[in-house]
Amino acid sequence: MFKKRYMSEPVETEGYLISVLRYIHQNPVKAKIVKQSKEYLWSSYSLYISAYEDQNSQIDAQLIKGYLKTKEDFERYMNEQSDDDFMDNKSVRKYTDEALREILQEQIDFNKLV
């Protein structure tokens, strides 16, 4: 059962598409499922490599190949560390009212404010 609502955001530019593709290919690495994107069997990564090698591929890689001209360009870009910030779950520290009160009391001398 899903706990959170499924979230999405539109991909409206080609540059953003390429960034999203890298983000998707890097997810299994970030999740420590594999060490390299190419190792993840359920990714489109290997299909793009096949397209660059002029093998039959189940994807249309023409747009991506227009930006990343060679297989080496594709591999370099897809494996390059990025600070792209998509809809990653970010850990948020939650405080109780009492904990916040203690933090504020430590940082602010309320006696001086009166």
Side-chain angles (χ1 to χ4, degrees):
M1 183 167 158
F2 294 104
K3 294 185 178 184
K4 290 185 178 180
R5 176 186 166 278
Y6 173 77
M7 297 185 303
S8 65
E9 55 185 52
V11 176
E12 297 177 340
T13 66
E14 293 173 356
Y16 190 59
L17 171 65
I18 294 169
S19 295
V20 169
L21 186 62
R22 174 173 56 192
Y23 170 80
I24 291 168
H25 286 159
Q26 288 183 358
N27 270 339
V29 176
K30 290 178 182 176
K32 298 184 182 353
I33 297 170
V34 294
K35 291 185 180 187
Q36 296 179 338
S37 297
K38 67 182 178 182
E39 298 170 356
Y40 191 65
L41 300 177
W42 295 274
S43 168
S44 62
Y45 189 95
S46 62
L47 298 174
Y48 280 97
I49 296 300
S50 294
Y52 276 99
E53 294 173 345
D54 294 325
Q55 299 175 5
N56 285 339
S57 182
Q58 298 169 341
I59 59 169
D60 181 356
Q62 183 177 354
L63 178 68
I64 302 303
K65 288 171 78 174
Y67 286 94
L68 303 168
K69 302 289 185 199
T70 66
K71 179 176 88 168
E72 291 75 21
D73 291 342
F74 175 82
E75 291 180 304
R76 187 178 316 107
Y77 182 80
M78 291 298 145
N79 292 298
E80 168 181 285
Q81 291 296 321
S82 74
D83 294 330
D84 294 339
D85 186 20
F86 296 96
M87 297 171 70
D88 280 339
N89 292 329
K90 298 190 175 41
S91 59
V92 177
R93 189 165 184 186
K94 297 182 180 183
Y95 295 95
T96 63
D97 289 346
E98 185 58 35
L100 282 174
R101 194 174 294 115
E102 289 175 17
I103 291 169
L104 289 172
Q105 286 175 346
E106 288 174 9
Q107 295 181 1
I108 301 170
D109 185 358
F110 287 104
N111 294 327
K112 288 183 181 179
L113 296 176
V114 179

